[in-house]
Structures are given as structure tokens and as C-alpha cells.
Amino acid sequence: MAFDGTWKIDRNENYDKFMEKMGINMVKRKLAAHDNLKLIITQEGNKFTVKESSTFRTAEIVFDLGVTFDYSLADGTELRGTWDLQGNKLVGKFKRVDNGNELNAVREIIGGELVQTYVYEGVEAKRIFKKE
């Protein structure tokens, strides 16, 4: 699958505004903007494993397409939702556990880069990764 591989953060678009809308304080936002995030993604059928490593934490997320699971963001925000494959895109639909607000995400390969697009309360951000 096209998502398989090791991906290193290259740049962000509107990420600070997105994190602000999520309620993340300024100090954490400044740190997160320079987190050196690396994703190692593997797919076996409908099962995905995403290993995240950054300046702040290391986590392994295992999920099956279409199956609801719980996930914690680096700042501790708890989410519940699913990832589904729609064409060539991984589409995530999540709800915050604390307030029920929706957080939507899309992962897609554009021009050889992994582009993660997030939308929360009308604010869109992108994190763009290059394959190692």
C-alpha cells in the first residue's frame, strides 16, 4: 500500500491555529510545531499499525479499518473514532471524549508526500511528511 514506510515531518500549514482551536496552550503549541514527528506505517489487509515517534513521546497505534478505537493525542486529548479507506485516502472520523466535538482527518499521498489534513471546528491544518 502507498502509505507503507517511514515518514518524517517536513512542514506544517496552519497547524498553530488548529492547535489553538483544539484548546492547546501556547507553550505546547510552540513545542508541537517542532516535534520532529516520524511515522512508520504498515498495512496488512485492513489492519494498520502506525508507530509515532517525536521529541515528546513514542506511541504505537493499531487499528482495523471501520472499527472504532480510542486514541490519545500528544497533549492528552482523548479521541474515539474510526479510520476508513476511501479511494486512495485514509479518512478518520473522531469525536473528542471530553466535549463530543468532531475531529476529522485525511491521510493521502500527494506528489510523493504524505499529507495529513485535520479539521476541527472549521479550522483546517496540514502536516506534510517526506518518505525516508
Side-chain angles (χ1 to χ4, degrees):
M1 181 74 192
F3 296 102
D4 282 0
T6 300
W7 301 90
K8 179 109 173 94
I9 190 69
D10 182 60
R11 62 195 183 280
N12 299 314
E13 295 176 7
N14 207 38
Y15 194 49
D16 187 70
K17 289 287 185 198
F18 168 79
M19 289 187 292
E20 182 179 14
K21 191 68 172 177
M22 289 280 295
I24 298 169
N25 73 48
M26 186 180 2
V27 173
K28 287 184 179 178
R29 290 197 318 263
K30 295 300 177 196
L31 292 171
H34 304 284
D35 63 0
N36 294 312
L37 181 60
K38 185 189 319 187
L39 304 175
I40 300 172
I41 302 173
T42 55
Q43 179 186 2
E44 296 174 21
N46 284 335
K47 180 180 178 179
F48 279 78
T49 301
V50 180
K51 294 178 182 177
E52 297 179 354
S53 62
S54 72
T55 306
F56 310 107
R57 75 171 188 166
T58 301
E60 182 173 287
I61 302 99
V62 180
F63 61 88
D64 290 303
L65 295 174
V67 177
T68 301
F69 69 101
D70 296 322
Y71 175 67
S72 295
L73 299 177
D75 74 328
T77 301
E78 299 282 333
L79 303 173
R80 172 171 278 172
T82 61
W83 284 102
D84 285 299
L85 201 55
Q86 295 180 6
N88 293 327
K89 299 178 183 182
L90 268 174
V91 178
K93 296 192 180 294
F94 299 92
K95 285 195 180 208
R96 288 179 61 151
V97 172
D98 61 350
N99 64 18
N101 292 346
E102 289 186 7
L103 169 63
N104 294 311
V106 174
R107 285 181 174 150
E108 58 189 319
I109 308 300
I110 300 174
E113 297 178 318
L114 172 64
V115 178
Q116 289 191 166
T117 304
Y118 306 97
V119 178
Y120 180 75
E121 298 275 295
V123 177
E124 181 178 293
K126 291 185 181 188
R127 300 201 83 188
I128 297 102
F129 297 79
K130 290 196 177 290
K131 200 164 198 176
E132 284 194 331

